PDB file of all heavy atoms in Angstrom:
ATOM      1  N   ILE A1008     -24.955  23.287  13.919  1.00  0.00           N
ATOM      2  CA  ILE A1008     -25.576  22.349  12.972  1.00  0.00           C
ATOM      3  C   ILE A1008     -27.083  22.598  12.868  1.00  0.00           C
ATOM      4  O   ILE A1008     -27.684  22.369  11.817  1.00  0.00           O
ATOM      5  CB  ILE A1008     -25.274  20.868  13.318  1.00  0.00           C
ATOM      6  CG1 ILE A1008     -25.789  20.485  14.707  1.00  0.00           C
ATOM      7  CG2 ILE A1008     -23.788  20.573  13.162  1.00  0.00           C
ATOM      8  CD1 ILE A1008     -25.674  18.991  15.002  1.00  0.00           C
ATOM      9  N   LYS A1009     -27.681  23.100  13.950  1.00  0.00           N
ATOM     10  CA  LYS A1009     -29.106  23.468  13.866  1.00  0.00           C
ATOM     11  C   LYS A1009     -29.294  24.636  12.903  1.00  0.00           C
ATOM     12  O   LYS A1009     -30.234  24.639  12.084  1.00  0.00           O
ATOM     13  CB  LYS A1009     -29.636  23.843  15.251  1.00  0.00           C
ATOM     14  CG  LYS A1009     -29.891  22.653  16.167  1.00  0.00           C
ATOM     15  CD  LYS A1009     -30.497  23.119  17.484  1.00  0.00           C
ATOM     16  CE  LYS A1009     -30.921  21.942  18.347  1.00  0.00           C
ATOM     17  NZ  LYS A1009     -31.545  22.405  19.608  1.00  0.00           N
ATOM     18  N   THR A1010     -28.409  25.627  13.015  1.00  0.00           N
ATOM     19  CA  THR A1010     -28.481  26.785  12.112  1.00  0.00           C
ATOM     20  C   THR A1010     -28.265  26.354  10.667  1.00  0.00           C
ATOM     21  O   THR A1010     -28.959  26.810   9.754  1.00  0.00           O
ATOM     22  CB  THR A1010     -27.424  27.840  12.510  1.00  0.00           C
ATOM     23  OG1 THR A1010     -27.656  28.237  13.865  1.00  0.00           O
ATOM     24  CG2 THR A1010     -27.488  29.056  11.599  1.00  0.00           C
ATOM     25  N   GLN A1011     -27.290  25.456  10.466  1.00  0.00           N
ATOM     26  CA  GLN A1011     -27.024  24.946   9.126  1.00  0.00           C
ATOM     27  C   GLN A1011     -28.255  24.254   8.543  1.00  0.00           C
ATOM     28  O   GLN A1011     -28.587  24.428   7.373  1.00  0.00           O
ATOM     29  CB  GLN A1011     -25.846  23.953   9.165  1.00  0.00           C
ATOM     30  CG  GLN A1011     -24.497  24.600   9.401  1.00  0.00           C
ATOM     31  CD  GLN A1011     -24.073  25.458   8.218  1.00  0.00           C
ATOM     32  OE1 GLN A1011     -23.878  24.988   7.108  1.00  0.00           O
ATOM     33  NE2 GLN A1011     -23.944  26.755   8.459  1.00  0.00           N
ATOM     34  N   TYR A1012     -28.925  23.475   9.391  1.00  0.00           N
ATOM     35  CA  TYR A1012     -30.121  22.769   8.915  1.00  0.00           C
ATOM     36  C   TYR A1012     -31.215  23.767   8.532  1.00  0.00           C
ATOM     37  O   TYR A1012     -31.875  23.614   7.493  1.00  0.00           O
ATOM     38  CB  TYR A1012     -30.640  21.810   9.985  1.00  0.00           C
ATOM     39  CG  TYR A1012     -31.842  21.013   9.528  1.00  0.00           C
ATOM     40  CD1 TYR A1012     -31.728  20.072   8.511  1.00  0.00           C
ATOM     41  CD2 TYR A1012     -33.100  21.211  10.103  1.00  0.00           C
ATOM     42  CE1 TYR A1012     -32.819  19.343   8.072  1.00  0.00           C
ATOM     43  CE2 TYR A1012     -34.200  20.487   9.673  1.00  0.00           C
ATOM     44  CZ  TYR A1012     -34.055  19.552   8.662  1.00  0.00           C
ATOM     45  OH  TYR A1012     -35.142  18.840   8.216  1.00  0.00           O
ATOM     46  N   ALA A1013     -31.415  24.775   9.377  1.00  0.00           N
ATOM     47  CA  ALA A1013     -32.439  25.787   9.096  1.00  0.00           C
ATOM     48  C   ALA A1013     -32.142  26.495   7.764  1.00  0.00           C
ATOM     49  O   ALA A1013     -33.050  26.753   6.966  1.00  0.00           O
ATOM     50  CB  ALA A1013     -32.503  26.797  10.239  1.00  0.00           C
ATOM     51  N   ILE A1014     -30.851  26.785   7.510  1.00  0.00           N
ATOM     52  CA  ILE A1014     -30.457  27.447   6.254  1.00  0.00           C
ATOM     53  C   ILE A1014     -30.754  26.539   5.059  1.00  0.00           C
ATOM     54  O   ILE A1014     -31.321  26.974   4.049  1.00  0.00           O
ATOM     55  CB  ILE A1014     -28.963  27.837   6.298  1.00  0.00           C
ATOM     56  CG1 ILE A1014     -28.739  28.969   7.310  1.00  0.00           C
ATOM     57  CG2 ILE A1014     -28.463  28.238   4.910  1.00  0.00           C
ATOM     58  CD1 ILE A1014     -27.276  29.241   7.626  1.00  0.00           C
ATOM     59  N   HIS A1015     -30.347  25.267   5.177  1.00  0.00           N
ATOM     60  CA  HIS A1015     -30.575  24.309   4.083  1.00  0.00           C
ATOM     61  C   HIS A1015     -32.072  24.159   3.793  1.00  0.00           C
ATOM     62  O   HIS A1015     -32.497  24.192   2.635  1.00  0.00           O
ATOM     63  CB  HIS A1015     -29.995  22.935   4.434  1.00  0.00           C
ATOM     64  CG  HIS A1015     -28.503  22.870   4.388  1.00  0.00           C
ATOM     65  ND1 HIS A1015     -27.773  23.314   3.319  1.00  0.00           N
ATOM     66  CD2 HIS A1015     -27.606  22.387   5.297  1.00  0.00           C
ATOM     67  CE1 HIS A1015     -26.487  23.133   3.566  1.00  0.00           C
ATOM     68  NE2 HIS A1015     -26.356  22.564   4.750  1.00  0.00           N
ATOM     69  N   PHE A1016     -32.839  23.973   4.875  1.00  0.00           N
ATOM     70  CA  PHE A1016     -34.270  23.746   4.665  1.00  0.00           C
ATOM     71  C   PHE A1016     -34.944  24.990   4.095  1.00  0.00           C
ATOM     72  O   PHE A1016     -35.820  24.884   3.221  1.00  0.00           O
ATOM     73  CB  PHE A1016     -34.968  23.330   5.966  1.00  0.00           C
ATOM     74  CG  PHE A1016     -36.444  23.128   5.780  1.00  0.00           C
ATOM     75  CD1 PHE A1016     -36.934  22.000   5.136  1.00  0.00           C
ATOM     76  CD2 PHE A1016     -37.359  24.098   6.185  1.00  0.00           C
ATOM     77  CE1 PHE A1016     -38.293  21.824   4.916  1.00  0.00           C
ATOM     78  CE2 PHE A1016     -38.715  23.936   5.975  1.00  0.00           C
ATOM     79  CZ  PHE A1016     -39.178  22.790   5.341  1.00  0.00           C
ATOM     80  N   HIS A1017     -34.547  26.148   4.588  1.00  0.00           N
ATOM     81  CA  HIS A1017     -35.144  27.394   4.095  1.00  0.00           C
ATOM     82  C   HIS A1017     -34.927  27.527   2.578  1.00  0.00           C
ATOM     83  O   HIS A1017     -35.860  27.877   1.830  1.00  0.00           O
ATOM     84  CB  HIS A1017     -34.523  28.579   4.820  1.00  0.00           C
ATOM     85  CG  HIS A1017     -35.144  29.901   4.448  1.00  0.00           C
ATOM     86  ND1 HIS A1017     -36.480  30.173   4.637  1.00  0.00           N
ATOM     87  CD2 HIS A1017     -34.614  31.019   3.882  1.00  0.00           C
ATOM     88  CE1 HIS A1017     -36.759  31.392   4.213  1.00  0.00           C
ATOM     89  NE2 HIS A1017     -35.637  31.930   3.751  1.00  0.00           N
ATOM     90  N   LYS A1018     -33.718  27.210   2.141  1.00  0.00           N
ATOM     91  CA  LYS A1018     -33.402  27.281   0.715  1.00  0.00           C
ATOM     92  C   LYS A1018     -34.267  26.298  -0.075  1.00  0.00           C
ATOM     93  O   LYS A1018     -34.807  26.624  -1.150  1.00  0.00           O
ATOM     94  CB  LYS A1018     -31.914  26.975   0.512  1.00  0.00           C
ATOM     95  CG  LYS A1018     -31.436  27.141  -0.918  1.00  0.00           C
ATOM     96  CD  LYS A1018     -29.933  26.881  -1.006  1.00  0.00           C
ATOM     97  CE  LYS A1018     -29.460  26.995  -2.444  1.00  0.00           C
ATOM     98  NZ  LYS A1018     -28.008  26.717  -2.569  1.00  0.00           N
ATOM     99  N   GLU A1019     -34.419  25.084   0.453  1.00  0.00           N
ATOM    100  CA  GLU A1019     -35.210  24.059  -0.238  1.00  0.00           C
ATOM    101  C   GLU A1019     -36.702  24.392  -0.221  1.00  0.00           C
ATOM    102  O   GLU A1019     -37.420  24.146  -1.195  1.00  0.00           O
ATOM    103  CB  GLU A1019     -34.946  22.686   0.403  1.00  0.00           C
ATOM    104  CG  GLU A1019     -33.563  22.154   0.069  1.00  0.00           C
ATOM    105  CD  GLU A1019     -33.057  21.095   1.030  1.00  0.00           C
ATOM    106  OE1 GLU A1019     -33.710  20.862   2.070  1.00  0.00           O
ATOM    107  OE2 GLU A1019     -32.010  20.499   0.760  1.00  0.00           O
ATOM    108  N   PHE A1020     -37.141  24.964   0.887  1.00  0.00           N
ATOM    109  CA  PHE A1020     -38.541  25.383   0.996  1.00  0.00           C
ATOM    110  C   PHE A1020     -38.870  26.444  -0.054  1.00  0.00           C
ATOM    111  O   PHE A1020     -39.887  26.360  -0.764  1.00  0.00           O
ATOM    112  CB  PHE A1020     -38.814  25.902   2.415  1.00  0.00           C
ATOM    113  CG  PHE A1020     -40.074  26.705   2.549  1.00  0.00           C
ATOM    114  CD1 PHE A1020     -41.321  26.094   2.451  1.00  0.00           C
ATOM    115  CD2 PHE A1020     -40.022  28.080   2.766  1.00  0.00           C
ATOM    116  CE1 PHE A1020     -42.490  26.838   2.566  1.00  0.00           C
ATOM    117  CE2 PHE A1020     -41.187  28.821   2.890  1.00  0.00           C
ATOM    118  CZ  PHE A1020     -42.425  28.198   2.786  1.00  0.00           C
ATOM    119  N   LEU A1021     -37.986  27.417  -0.170  1.00  0.00           N
ATOM    120  CA  LEU A1021     -38.202  28.475  -1.157  1.00  0.00           C
ATOM    121  C   LEU A1021     -38.154  27.926  -2.587  1.00  0.00           C
ATOM    122  O   LEU A1021     -38.916  28.349  -3.454  1.00  0.00           O
ATOM    123  CB  LEU A1021     -37.160  29.579  -0.985  1.00  0.00           C
ATOM    124  CG  LEU A1021     -37.248  30.359   0.339  1.00  0.00           C
ATOM    125  CD1 LEU A1021     -36.090  31.322   0.462  1.00  0.00           C
ATOM    126  CD2 LEU A1021     -38.572  31.103   0.461  1.00  0.00           C
ATOM    127  N   SER A1022     -37.252  26.975  -2.800  1.00  0.00           N
ATOM    128  CA  SER A1022     -37.175  26.346  -4.115  1.00  0.00           C
ATOM    129  C   SER A1022     -38.447  25.558  -4.414  1.00  0.00           C
ATOM    130  O   SER A1022     -38.951  25.556  -5.542  1.00  0.00           O
ATOM    131  CB  SER A1022     -35.961  25.420  -4.172  1.00  0.00           C
ATOM    132  OG  SER A1022     -35.855  24.811  -5.424  1.00  0.00           O
ATOM    133  N   ALA A1023     -38.984  24.908  -3.369  1.00  0.00           N
ATOM    134  CA  ALA A1023     -40.216  24.126  -3.538  1.00  0.00           C
ATOM    135  C   ALA A1023     -41.407  25.023  -3.852  1.00  0.00           C
ATOM    136  O   ALA A1023     -42.396  24.579  -4.446  1.00  0.00           O
ATOM    137  CB  ALA A1023     -40.493  23.306  -2.276  1.00  0.00           C
ATOM    138  N   LEU A1024     -41.308  26.300  -3.486  1.00  0.00           N
ATOM    139  CA  LEU A1024     -42.372  27.264  -3.798  1.00  0.00           C
ATOM    140  C   LEU A1024     -42.351  27.673  -5.277  1.00  0.00           C
ATOM    141  O   LEU A1024     -43.267  28.354  -5.752  1.00  0.00           O
ATOM    142  CB  LEU A1024     -42.196  28.530  -2.944  1.00  0.00           C
ATOM    143  CG  LEU A1024     -42.695  28.462  -1.500  1.00  0.00           C
ATOM    144  CD1 LEU A1024     -42.225  29.688  -0.729  1.00  0.00           C
ATOM    145  CD2 LEU A1024     -44.214  28.377  -1.459  1.00  0.00           C
ATOM    146  N   ASN A1025     -41.271  27.280  -5.975  1.00  0.00           N
ATOM    147  CA  ASN A1025     -41.103  27.611  -7.402  1.00  0.00           C
ATOM    148  C   ASN A1025     -40.996  29.117  -7.653  1.00  0.00           C
ATOM    149  O   ASN A1025     -41.408  29.615  -8.694  1.00  0.00           O
ATOM    150  CB  ASN A1025     -42.259  27.043  -8.247  1.00  0.00           C
ATOM    151  CG  ASN A1025     -42.180  25.537  -8.353  1.00  0.00           C
ATOM    152  OD1 ASN A1025     -41.088  24.974  -8.414  1.00  0.00           O
ATOM    153  ND2 ASN A1025     -43.330  24.885  -8.364  1.00  0.00           N
ATOM    154  N   LEU A1026     -40.418  29.828  -6.687  1.00  0.00           N
ATOM    155  CA  LEU A1026     -40.236  31.263  -6.865  1.00  0.00           C
ATOM    156  C   LEU A1026     -38.848  31.592  -7.424  1.00  0.00           C
ATOM    157  O   LEU A1026     -38.583  32.716  -7.813  1.00  0.00           O
ATOM    158  CB  LEU A1026     -40.416  31.993  -5.529  1.00  0.00           C
ATOM    159  CG  LEU A1026     -41.811  31.876  -4.887  1.00  0.00           C
ATOM    160  CD1 LEU A1026     -41.819  32.612  -3.560  1.00  0.00           C
ATOM    161  CD2 LEU A1026     -42.880  32.458  -5.808  1.00  0.00           C
TER     162      LEU A1026
END
Side-chain angles (χ1 to χ4, degrees):
I1008 60 172
K1009 284 184 173 182
T1010 302
Q1011 288 292 297
Y1012 182 67
I1014 291 169
H1015 287 310
F1016 178 75
H1017 184 60
K1018 185 177 178 181
E1019 288 159 352
F1020 164 70
L1021 294 174
S1022 180
L1024 280 170
N1025 289 325
L1026 297 178

